[in-house]
């Protein structure tokens, strides 16, 4: 998989790893440096791809990831071991 850099203030501060699965597109693994989290960098990547069906696994131990995915339009799809598989249907 090819990683896409997340850039903020001219600095690479993280990455997403977009790829297609049989359940939809995924951006994971995702990483953002701690001091740049909460700025909407990953949300912007999701919102820039409105026509795609997305899926993601979100751990119950990561409430920040759950908030991000809910803001991006994801909903619980299937329970998983220690979390939920979430999906976002293509946006209108």
């Amino acid at each position: 998989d090819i990683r896409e850099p997340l850039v903020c203030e001219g600095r690479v501060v993280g990455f997403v790893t977009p790829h297609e699965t049989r359940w939809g597109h995924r951006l994971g693994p995702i990483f953002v440096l701690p001091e740049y989290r909460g700025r909407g960098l990953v949300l912007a990547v999701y919102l820039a791809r409105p026509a795609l069906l997305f899926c993601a696994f979100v751990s119950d131990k990561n409430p920040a990831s759950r908030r991000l995915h809910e803001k991006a339009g994801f909903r619980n799809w299937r329970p998983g071991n220690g979390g939920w598989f979430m999906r976002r249907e293509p946006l209108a």
Side-chain angles (χ1 to χ4, degrees), residues 49-63:
R49 294 168 165 99
L52 296 181
L53 167 68
F54 275 106
C55 64
F57 178 77
V58 179
S59 169
D60 290 336
K61 296 179 181 179
N62 194 339

Side-chain angles (χ1 to χ4, degrees), residues 54-56 58 66 70 74-77 84-87:
F54 275 106
C55 64
V58 179
R66 171 158 291 280
E70 288 175 345
F74 283 72
R75 298 294 171 254
N76 287 346
W77 173 46
W84 280 88
F85 290 95
M86 299 181 78
R87 270 181 111 160

Side-chain angles (χ1 to χ4, degrees), residues 2-62:
I2 297 174
R3 292 190 169 149
E4 290 182 12
L6 297 174
V7 178
C8 184
E9 301 168 350
R11 179 178 178 209
V12 174
V13 298
F15 61 82
V16 296
T17 313
H19 58 283
E20 193 170 340
T21 74
R22 67 183 186 185
W23 300 286
H25 287 77
R26 291 194 54 164
L27 289 185
I30 298 170
F31 175 77
V32 181
L33 289 170
E35 61 268 30
Y36 288 89
R37 294 177 186 165
R39 296 186 186 200
L41 299 171
V42 177
L43 179 62
V45 175
Y46 278 125
L47 297 179
R49 294 168 165 99
L52 296 181
L53 167 68
F54 275 106
C55 64
F57 178 77
V58 179
S59 169
D60 290 336
K61 296 179 181 179
N62 194 339

